[in-house]
Structures are given as C-alpha cells and as structure tokens.
C-alpha cells in the first residue's frame, strides 16, 4: 500500500445490482471502512485494480464471463494480491475458496454481524496480523450451523478419514469437511502432517508422547490428550520423523 489511510478502501463486485447495493451499504456502515467502490463484472474489477489500490475485494462467485473463483485465481497472480472475501449464496465453493487463500467466505443473505467479522479479518490482513496465512499457516473453511468459519491449520492435532470427507480435530472441537484424506496428506505434508494409519493423519507439532506397548505403537496428541494407534507399516517412519524433529 502507498501509505496509511483513515480507513479501508474496499471494492465490491457483483453482477446483481440489488445485492451489490446492499453489500455496499452494509460495508459503508462499518466504521473501519472509509470508501466503498462497486462494479458488476470481472473486467471492470481488473480495470479498477490497475488504477487504484484497494485493501480488499468482496467478490460474488456466480457471474457471467469470469466467475468469482476464476477472477480470484487471476488476482492471486498479482505481485501483491488483494485480500478476497467471497460473498455468495452457494455453500459448495468453500473448498475452492480455501485453495485460493480467501480471507473469508460469507453466505447470502448477508448478516451485518457476519460481514463485520469479515471486515475484521480484512483489517487484520492490512495491519499485518493476518489469520489466514502466517508462516505457512492456513485457515480451513468449516460449516457451523450454515455459517462458514475458518479454523487455523496449526490448531488441528489430527485428521480422521470419513469416506470422501475428513474430520478435523482441534483441542475442543471437530469439523467435517469435504476433502479426501489423501488430498490433505499431499497438501499438508510440508506443514508436518503425516500418515500414521490408513484413516489417520497426525500433526507432528501436536504429538506429546509416543508409546510402545506389546509391540504396538501409539501417539498422544493435544491436551488433555488423545491416544491414536499407529499401524505397523507407519511406525518406523513416524519414529524417524519425530527423532529428526527433536534433533538439534
């Protein structure tokens, strides 16, 4: 950004005028937002971004021409990508939003309190305290009572397979997401998630104990502690990884 402004400058893109006007009105009511720009197409969005610096783009998904997700891919190639908040009537695109590193994912009809949370996240990104990606940390979208919220990957102790779904376990909750365990193993491996069983991934950072009893290996993760069995074929690899991690 070229310098601090008194508040956020945001750009809203939606091809439906009533939705565009409503979202712009709600954003303008937020004291953290100083200026709201609007447009109704991906082409116009790109033109505005070439001429002006904005702090965030609030983006519809279902649009003619380039969809919001396709536009998000284009914006992600910018040298300094603007934070994106997807605002949509469709729940089924949360995974794609996660892959595009969206700051938030807000469902229509938009509630003012939910939008305020999205603005808070944007402000955090602009101020350099982003929750979406810090030192490789990500935020994973999860559905809670029809509202999409984001869980920090660093808080996830282990992941359990449920067919084409996966259950993410944190210290005090669990969340079912439509992502196969094999995909998470591939994408989260560099972040320290390893397979310990055909149906389990564990975060090495959350492993508090390794237990060997009767030739069987298990690990304890989280607090107060959850014991997870390690299959024989993964025992040696896991112990080597943990020893390597503990080495100075």
């Amino acid at each position: 950004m070229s310098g601090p402004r008194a508040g956020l400058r945001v750009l809203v893109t939606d091809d439906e005028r009533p939705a565009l006007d409503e979202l712009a009105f709600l954003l303008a009511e937020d004291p953290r937002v100083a200026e709201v720009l609007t447009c109704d197409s991906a082409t116009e969005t790109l033109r505005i971004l070439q001429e002006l610096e904005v702090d965030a783009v609030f983006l519809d998904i279902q649009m003619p021409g380039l969809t919001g997700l396709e536009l998000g891919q284009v914006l992600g190639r910018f040298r300094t990508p603007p934070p994106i908040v997807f605002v949509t009537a469709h729940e089924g695109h949360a995974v794609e939003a996660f892959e595009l590193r969206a700051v938030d994912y807000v469902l229509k009809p938009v509630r003012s309190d939910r939008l305020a949370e999205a603005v808070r996240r944007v402000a955090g990104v602009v101020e350099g305290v982003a929750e979406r990606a810090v030192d490789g940390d990500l935020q994973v979208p999860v559905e809670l009572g029809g509202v999409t919220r984001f869980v920090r990957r660093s808080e996830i102790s282990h992941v359990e397979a449920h067919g084409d779904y996966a259950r993410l376990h944190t210290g005090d909750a669990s969340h079912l997401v439509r992502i196969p365990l094999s995909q998470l193993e591939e994408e989260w491996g560099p972040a320290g998630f390893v397979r310990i069983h055909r149906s389990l991934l564990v975060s090495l950072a959350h492993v508090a104990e390794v237990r060997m009893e009767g030739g069987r290996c298990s690990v304890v993760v989280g607090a107060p502690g959850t014991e997870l069995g390690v299959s024989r074929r993964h025992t040696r690899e896991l112990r080597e990884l943990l020893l390597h991690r503990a080495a100075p």
Side-chain angles (χ1 to χ4, degrees):
M1 299 298 168
S2 59
R5 289 191 288 271
L8 299 171
R9 173 191 284 161
V10 299
L11 172 60
V12 182
T13 303
D14 196 314
D15 65 305
E16 297 181 356
R17 175 55 61 175
L20 181 65
D21 290 344
E22 179 184 12
L23 186 55
F25 172 79
L26 291 174
L27 285 168
E29 290 290 295
D30 193 301
R32 292 164 296 190
V33 177
E35 184 178 2
V36 181
L37 309 173
T38 62
C39 63
D40 60 5
S41 69
T43 302
E44 183 69 5
T45 299
L46 293 172
R47 186 191 66 77
I48 292 174
L49 292 177
Q50 287 177 346
E51 298 177 356
L52 296 172
E53 291 182 341
V54 304
D55 293 304
V57 180
F58 286 74
L59 187 57
D60 187 27
I61 288 182
Q62 299 292 348
M63 298 190 298
L66 280 181
T67 68
L69 292 171
E70 291 168 338
L71 178 57
Q73 292 175 346
V74 175
L75 299 183
R77 300 189 188 105
F78 281 24
R79 176 173 295 181
T80 305
I84 297 174
V85 175
F86 285 107
V87 184
T88 176
H90 304 276
E91 298 183 13
H93 298 293
V95 172
E96 292 97 324
F98 156 61
E99 292 172 346
L100 291 173
R101 308 287 180 86
V103 172
D104 210 343
Y105 189 90
V106 180
L107 291 176
K108 298 177 180 178
V110 178
R111 303 195 320 268
S112 58
D113 60 332
R114 184 66 185 86
L115 188 61
E117 170 65 14
V119 173
R120 184 191 70 79
R121 292 176 184 270
V122 167
V125 173
V126 173
E127 294 166 6
V129 292
E131 294 180 355
R132 67 188 179 110
V134 180
D135 295 331
D137 199 4
L138 298 178
Q139 290 204 1
V140 185
V142 299
E143 296 295 328
L144 294 172
V147 176
T148 300
R149 301 194 184 279
F150 287 77
V151 174
R152 291 176 68 95
R153 182 174 63 182
S154 61
E155 297 175 353
I156 298 170
S157 61
H158 60 290
V159 185
E160 185 180 2
H162 280 263
D164 291 333
Y165 291 75
R167 183 168 293 280
L168 313 177
H169 293 268
T170 61
D172 56 0
S174 69
H175 310 278
L176 196 64
V177 295
R178 192 170 185 174
I179 309 174
L181 195 71
S182 57
Q183 179 180 338
L184 291 180
E185 179 182 17
E186 179 180 351
E187 294 180 357
W188 291 6
F193 284 78
V194 299
R195 177 90 68 159
I196 64 169
H197 188 276
R198 61 186 177 86
S199 62
L200 283 172
L201 292 181
V202 69
S203 168
L204 295 179
H206 285 268
V207 175
E209 297 179 25
V210 180
R211 298 175 178 174
M212 294 293 300
E213 296 180 6
R216 293 285 184 176
C217 179
S218 64
V219 295
V220 177
V221 297
T226 300
E227 187 171 358
L228 304 170
V230 182
S231 68
R232 291 184 184 275
R233 66 186 295 256
H234 291 102
T235 296
R236 180 176 178 180
E237 178 186 5
L238 176 66
R239 295 185 69 181
E240 289 177 350
L241 285 170
L242 289 170
L243 287 171
H244 177 73
R245 188 181 184 88

